[in-house]
Amino acid sequence: ICTINDTVFTYSACFGKFADIPYETPIKLKKKVGYLAYLLYGIKSVIKSARLYDIDFEIQGKKYSGKYTFAIVSNADRIAGINNVYKDIKLDDDRFEILFCTLTNKYQVLKNIRYLLKRELDHAPGFEFYRANKITIKFNNKLAKNWCIDGEELKDYSDTFVIENKYKVCLLLPDKNLNRLFK
């Protein structure tokens, strides 16, 4: 189980473009058309221009910096309703997956959809992929919208966020999932 500034999340934490889709999509639309509501709101988001966030981050003792439109930290093999977004996910490897994106316009985003469909985001242009058990992210400019954790808005207005694997839990699963999801 991961934490972001000591707030627990189990599935994902993200900031930037597309991060607000889960909590900004109107509830009436969700009830009316289900999962399709997120897709419709996502398409609407693609059309809007993206803001670049100037950030510094540290992973496993190495420091990086750059300008990114969004990032997602996940500890799951399913993101936004898409199975196996990343290859070789193991839920008990003490690491989570981190994807930073530098794409700024709708043409770049649409062009990279093929990588998403082929489950090759770690090789897509405009994306940086990492695996770690801790990351510290410092924003050098203010976030336009808050982080989204597990589909909900994070009410933390800090400029620095520490995300780490903090807790271990035991899970009961059908045998068919053990080899695929656990080492």
Side-chain angles (χ1 to χ4, degrees):
I1 303 232
C2 300
T3 60
I4 179 169
N5 288 2
D6 292 322
T7 298
V8 173
F9 71 95
T10 58
Y11 169 65
S12 69
C14 57
F15 74 82
K17 187 150 179 88
F18 308 115
D20 62 341
I21 291 172
Y23 61 83
E24 291 287 331
T25 302
I27 291 172
K28 284 183 179 180
L29 187 60
K30 291 179 202 177
K31 286 181 179 179
K32 192 173 188 176
V33 296
Y35 180 74
L36 185 59
Y38 295 109
L39 293 176
L40 293 171
Y41 206 79
I43 291 168
K44 182 178 163 186
S45 250
V46 167
I47 295 167
K48 294 179 184 175
S49 63
R51 177 179 176 183
L52 284 168
Y53 293 98
D54 179 21
I55 65 171
D56 298 319
F57 59 100
E58 184 176 332
I59 299 174
Q60 310 298 94
K62 293 183 182 176
K63 295 185 179 191
Y64 305 87
S65 63
K67 295 186 181 201
Y68 302 94
T69 52
F70 79 87
I72 184 165
V73 176
S74 64
N75 196 23
D77 72 329
R78 180 180 168 99
I79 305 286
I82 301 167
N83 288 327
N84 305 315
V85 171
Y86 308 116
K87 292 180 181 174
D88 197 30
I89 298 298
K90 301 296 182 199
L91 299 180
D92 61 344
D93 65 358
D94 290 329
R95 298 184 305 165
F96 44 79
E97 289 64 42
I98 307 155
L99 187 69
F100 284 101
C101 176
T102 61
L103 305 177
T104 56
N105 66 55
K106 62 186 165 206
Y107 303 110
Q108 293 171 325
V109 171
L110 293 172
K111 190 174 167 183
N112 277 295
I113 286 178
R114 73 173 183 261
Y115 290 98
L116 175 65
L117 297 175
K118 292 163 92 179
R119 297 353 181 228
E120 295 178 352
L121 281 181
D122 49 340
H123 299 304
F127 289 94
E128 293 175 24
F129 181 73
Y130 304 90
R131 288 189 179 173
N133 58 13
K134 182 176 181 180
I135 181 172
T136 302
I137 300 174
K138 181 184 183 308
F139 289 87
N140 298 315
N141 54 341
K142 188 169 173 54
L143 275 169
K145 299 211 177 207
N146 289 340
W147 281 78
C148 177
I149 59 168
D150 293 338
E152 300 295 327
E153 182 179 12
L154 175 66
K155 303 283 187 179
D156 185 331
Y157 304 97
S158 307
D159 63 352
T160 302
F161 295 86
V162 177
I163 302 169
E164 58 189 321
N165 277 348
K166 261 196 168 172
Y167 305 105
K168 295 187 184 296
V169 295
C170 292
L171 300 173
L172 297 174
L173 290 173
D175 286 341
K176 67 179 183 170
N177 293 331
L178 291 179
N179 291 337
R180 186 174 62 81
L181 294 174
F182 297 92
K183 53 182 186 165

